[in-house]
Amino acid sequence: MMSDTYSVLVVTKDSKTVSLISSMLIPPLFELTVSQDFNEARRICGERNFNIIIIDFAEGEGTDFALDISSGTGTILLLSPVQYFDQISYKVESFGILTITAPFDQFYFYNMIKIAIAVQYKTQLISSQTIKLKEKMEEIRLVNKAKMLLMQHESMTEDQAHHHLEKTAMDNGLKRIAVAENVIRKYENS
């Protein structure tokens, strides 16, 4: 699950920040994309996913942008001026956004990137587990629907319908969900 390269989007108009981040997040471990415009960054985020998104405060525009994209799977680091740090971090932390004071020293930034990588790994793990659970729930829903149709059209008990689906799957080398889908198609089309 761990990737060999982390895609990073940096959204800032400050060339010194870009230079500092670029000097620390070097290939092949990091693939850097830089945007100086929040509208362009929104478009880029709509086209692809990033592991880590680093956003400059930019007079509050960065905070709004971070909140807008917080439903994605990327780990967001919001660079905040020291004087606004508490206020901003309180506002964004419930959205899973990490806040960093800016300017920052390299050691502090490096540690935050390591945290972002760990969060990204955990997010990917949870996301894949969620997908598996959704697939399992869909399978259960379809199997139950197929059993109901067998009970209605073939006068089977629930146990008989369950056994029929299991046996048909085993005899034909199919997954139970495929058999359930066949049963549903058969009885919904008649």
Side-chain angles (χ1 to χ4, degrees), residues 32-76:
L32 220 59
T33 302
V34 177
S35 175
Q36 295 182 351
D37 179 74
F38 288 101
N39 289 327
E40 177 192 32
R42 277 184 182 81
R43 181 188 56 74
I44 293 169
C45 287
E47 293 173 357
R48 69 175 281 205
N49 293 321
F50 290 91
N51 299 116
I52 301 169
I53 303 170
I54 302 169
I55 305 168
D56 196 2
F57 174 68
E59 305 300 322
E61 192 176 2
T63 304
D64 294 338
F65 174 68
L67 292 171
D68 287 348
I69 64 165
S70 65
S71 63
T73 58
T75 302
I76 300 171

Side-chain angles (χ1 to χ4, degrees), residues 6 20-21 23-26 29-30 52 54 77 79 98 100-101 103-119:
Y6 295 96
L20 182 59
I21 292 172
S23 71
M24 295 179 65
L25 304 182
I26 55 175
L29 187 56
F30 297 99
I52 301 169
I54 302 169
L77 301 174
L79 305 176
L98 303 172
I100 303 175
T101 56
F104 50 83
D105 67 49
Q106 291 183 341
F107 180 74
Y108 174 68
F109 182 75
Y110 176 76
N111 282 324
M112 289 304 291
I113 291 297
K114 296 298 278 178
I115 290 169
I117 289 170
V119 168

